């Protein structure tokens, strides 16, 4: 085989399908978010970032930066090993204690990313609980799908956010069959939220464990900010809560929180935990500071929700097809990969607005979109510029002609 030819051909296929990913080369500067520098074609200019998953700007929060600095000074750059072999730093222990309390669970376990947390936990449970059947929401994140696949247990996929369909699928198995229901709270591409209590009702009736990915909710929902399960008062009904340190907490890493025995089980049998070096102490210290700050400051969540609601309203008023998200995510439908990229390029090149196009396989073909993530740090002037720029780009590319039946109408 001519490997080079094969690689080049596959990439050129992607390009012709409009799915080749080009990312913006950014420099996030301390204290300036959501403004960042963008390096392009030998030039540097300022842009306003409207698609960051640093949803609350905590990655640049002074207390988070100070905590990282202090730990860096005390402990150096790396952790020095896997968690079991010399790589457990006191900051990891403190952070796991904090995460357990944050999620109102007995125990918590850190991973190097949210992806690894999902992949490792789900594959470990699927592979090691004899006869386990995993029930997975059809829109679950790739890290969950890969974890479930890797566990090689039996699997059933239920219709998105549909407890009745879940009930039908669960009913086909005897009560004594071990079962695990895996789903997310906030689905980050459409911005919809799972009916967690209803899913728990169904799961409990069938003696199934529940696994909830709160990656796009951590820091942003609930009185203390641990997620939608806290907001809905159902944390005690979820067997395992999974989350990330990389989005609203502004750092990097992932976790699960559950009973002491469940966490001990994953710690003892999960290859992605056992065989991978632990996160740097400064990372753990930064995440710890971020959680402590967010637990004590609910007002940042109110401001965040207000900014998201304002962006949705203002865009819809200008006829921009915003999907009916009930979360902080503002998805704007384009419905075509090439047009989506053109819109994104125009916004960046001519209006200084960075919103990355979202294409297949992240979303289905024909639902390509621009996913806007307002933060508490986007001020009114930035918001007005966003709306004007979207409006101008929609006119220039004649995007108003496209029909998006699910988009929110301004009058609604
Ligand atoms: C729903 C969901 N789960 C897990 C992950 C992985 O988290 P991390 O970015 O911490 O690896 C993502 C990442 O975007 C996600 O969207």
């Amino acid at each position: 085989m001519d490997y080079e030819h094969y690689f080049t051909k596959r990439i050129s296929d992607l390009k012709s399908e409009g799915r080749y990913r080009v990312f913006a080369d950014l420099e996030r500067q301390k204290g300036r978010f959501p403004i960042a520098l963008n390096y392009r074609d030998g030039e540097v200019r300022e842009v306003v970032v409207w698609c960051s998953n640093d949803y609350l700007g905590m990655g640049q929060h002074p207390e988070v930066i100070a905590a990282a600095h202090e730990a860096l000074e005390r402990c150096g750059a790396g952790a020095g090993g896997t968690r079991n072999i010399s790589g457990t730093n006191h900051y990891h222990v403190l952070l796991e204690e904090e995460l357990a309390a944050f999620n109102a669970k007995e125990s918590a376990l850190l991973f190097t990313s949210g992806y690894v947390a999902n992949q490792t936990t789900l594959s470990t449970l699927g592979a090691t609980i004899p006869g386990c059947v995993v029930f997975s929401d059809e829109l679950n994140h790739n890290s969950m799908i890969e974890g479930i696949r890797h566990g090689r247990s039996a699997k059933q996929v239920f219709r998105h956010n549909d407890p009745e369909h879940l009930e039908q699928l669960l009913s086909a198995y005897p009560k004594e069959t071990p079962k695990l229901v895996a789903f997310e709270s906030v689905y980050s591409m459409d911005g919809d939220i799972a009916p967690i209590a209803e899913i728990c009702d169904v799961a409990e009736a069938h003696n199934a464990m529940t696994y909830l990915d709160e990656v796009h909710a951590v820091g942003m929902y609930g009185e203390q900010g641990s997620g939608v399960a806290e907001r809905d008062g159902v944390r005690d009904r979820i067997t395992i809560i999974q989350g990330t340190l990389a989005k609203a907490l502004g750092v990097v890493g992932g976790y699960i929180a559950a009973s002491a025995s469940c966490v001990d089980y994953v710690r003892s049998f999960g290859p992605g935990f056992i065989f991978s070096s632990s996160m740097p102490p400064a990372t753990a210290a930064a995440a710890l500071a971020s959680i402590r700050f967010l637990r004590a400051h609910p007002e940042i969540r109110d401001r965040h929700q207000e900014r998201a609601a304002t962006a949705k309203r203002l865009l819809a008023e200008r006829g921009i097809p915003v999907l009916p998200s009930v979360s902080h995510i503002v998805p704007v439908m384009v419905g075509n990969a090439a047009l989506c990229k053109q819109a994104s390029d125009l916004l960046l090149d001519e209006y200084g607005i960075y919103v990355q196009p979202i294409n297949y396989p992240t979303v289905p073909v024909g639902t390509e979109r621009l996913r806007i993530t307002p933060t508490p740090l986007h001020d009114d002037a930035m918001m007005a510029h966003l709306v004007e720029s979207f409006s101008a780009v929609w006119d220039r590319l004649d995007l108003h002609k496209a029909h998006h039946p699910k988009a929110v109408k301004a009058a609604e």
Side-chain angles (χ1 to χ4, degrees):
M1 184 184 205
D2 180 343
Y3 300 109
E4 284 303 314
H5 176 77
Y6 176 76
F7 297 147
T8 317
K9 164 85 180 65
R10 291 302 304 272
I11 292 295
S12 106
D13 290 347
L14 271 187
K15 284 184 179 160
S16 61
E17 290 161 24
R19 294 202 287 123
Y20 181 66
R21 288 169 196 241
V22 183
F23 45 70
D25 180 355
L26 298 179
E27 182 176 316
R28 278 163 49 100
Q29 296 183 307
K30 192 168 104 181
R32 299 202 66 209
F33 184 75
I35 295 172
L37 298 185
N38 175 216
Y39 290 79
R40 243 165 343 131
D41 307 326
E43 286 178 22
V44 194
R45 24 173 240 160
E46 280 186 358
V47 296
V48 179
V49 180
W50 279 97
C51 58
S52 175
N53 280 342
D54 185 358
Y55 292 122
L56 303 175
M58 292 305 289
Q60 301 197 351
H61 193 280
E63 289 182 26
V64 175
I65 296 172
H69 269 299
E70 195 197 320
L72 194 62
E73 288 302 321
R74 281 169 74 119
C75 306
T82 62
R83 285 293 297 280
N84 292 318
I85 308 178
S86 99
T88 294
N89 188 281
H90 192 52
Y91 283 110
H92 298 129
V93 177
L94 291 177
L95 178 55
E96 285 176 342
E97 285 170 5
E98 183 77 21
L99 283 165
F102 187 39
N103 286 285
K105 294 287 182 195
E106 286 174 354
S107 206
L109 192 66
L110 283 172
F111 297 84
T112 44
S113 71
Y115 194 102
V116 176
N118 274 338
Q119 217 271 349
T120 301
T121 308
L122 288 168
S123 64
T124 302
L125 296 174
T128 61
I129 300 177
C132 187
V133 183
V134 182
F135 298 79
S136 176
D137 186 289
E138 68 180 330
L139 291 192
N140 274 344
H141 188 255
N142 175 273
S143 53
M144 299 168 85
I145 296 169
E146 287 299 327
I148 295 165
R149 186 179 290 157
H150 196 72
R152 296 187 184 189
S153 64
K155 168 175 133 175
Q156 296 284 352
V157 177
F158 60 97
R159 281 194 294 271
H160 178 54
N161 280 349
D162 187 344
E164 277 176 28
H165 190 222
L166 174 63
E167 163 68 37
Q168 276 172 26
L169 296 177
L170 283 162
S171 301
Y173 291 86
K175 199 151 186 178
E176 55 280 9
T177 298
K179 305 173 198 81
L180 173 63
V181 177
F183 61 114
E184 300 179 25
S185 55
V186 175
Y187 286 84
S188 75
M189 292 302 145
D190 291 334
D192 54 336
I193 294 185
I196 304 179
E198 283 92 327
I199 291 177
C200 288
D201 290 342
V202 175
E204 284 162 10
H206 292 272
N207 194 26
M209 294 188 286
T210 42
Y211 183 97
L212 179 64
D213 173 318
E214 290 259 37
V215 160
H216 292 279
V218 181
M220 294 170 283
Y221 294 87
E223 178 56 27
Q224 300 212 5
S226 75
V228 180
E230 181 194 351
R231 184 195 74 178
D232 293 358
V234 292
R235 285 186 294 186
D236 56 334
R237 302 180 68 188
I238 304 291
T239 315
I240 300 174
I241 297 175
Q242 180 272 356
T244 184
L245 310 176
K247 304 207 189 278
L249 301 184
V251 193
V252 75
Y255 63 86
I256 57 165
S259 69
S261 57
C262 178
V263 167
D264 207 19
Y265 185 84
V266 177
R267 192 183 71 80
S268 305
F269 292 103
F273 176 82
I274 299 170
F275 297 105
S276 187
S277 297
S278 47
M279 65 174 63
T283 303
L288 187 59
S290 187
I291 296 171
R292 287 182 176 159
F293 180 88
L294 290 174
R295 289 182 83 177
H297 291 274
E299 71 282 359
I300 194 173
R301 287 182 272 288
D302 297 339
R303 161 89 178 157
H304 183 217
Q305 291 296 325
E306 180 278 317
R307 291 284 84 185
T310 302
K312 285 178 200 168
R313 180 174 55 77
L314 295 178
L315 288 164
E317 278 172 10
R318 298 295 285 266
I320 305 297
V322 178
L323 290 179
S325 155
V326 291
S327 68
H328 57 281
I329 299 193
V330 185
V332 171
M333 185 57 81
V334 177
N336 172 290
L339 281 174
C340 200
K341 176 155 181 357
Q342 276 180 46
S344 166
D345 286 349
L346 261 183
L347 285 165
L348 187 63
D349 292 343
E350 298 193 25
Y351 301 89
I353 286 182
Y354 173 40
V355 188
Q356 182 74 17
I358 309 279
N359 292 330
Y360 176 83
T362 311
V363 293
V365 172
T367 71
E368 291 79 3
R369 64 197 68 180
L370 296 171
R371 175 181 174 272
I372 304 170
T373 51
T375 73
L377 301 168
H378 287 99
D379 62 23
D380 285 343
M382 290 172 182
M383 192 74 85
H385 181 58
L386 174 85
V387 174
E388 286 308 319
S389 308
F390 262 70
S391 200
V393 167
W394 247 248
D395 287 344
R396 287 175 66 174
L397 296 179
D398 219 3
L399 292 174
H400 291 289
K401 277 198 312 214
H403 178 57
H404 302 299
K406 279 167 93 191
V408 175
K409 302 272 182 325
E412 282 170 9

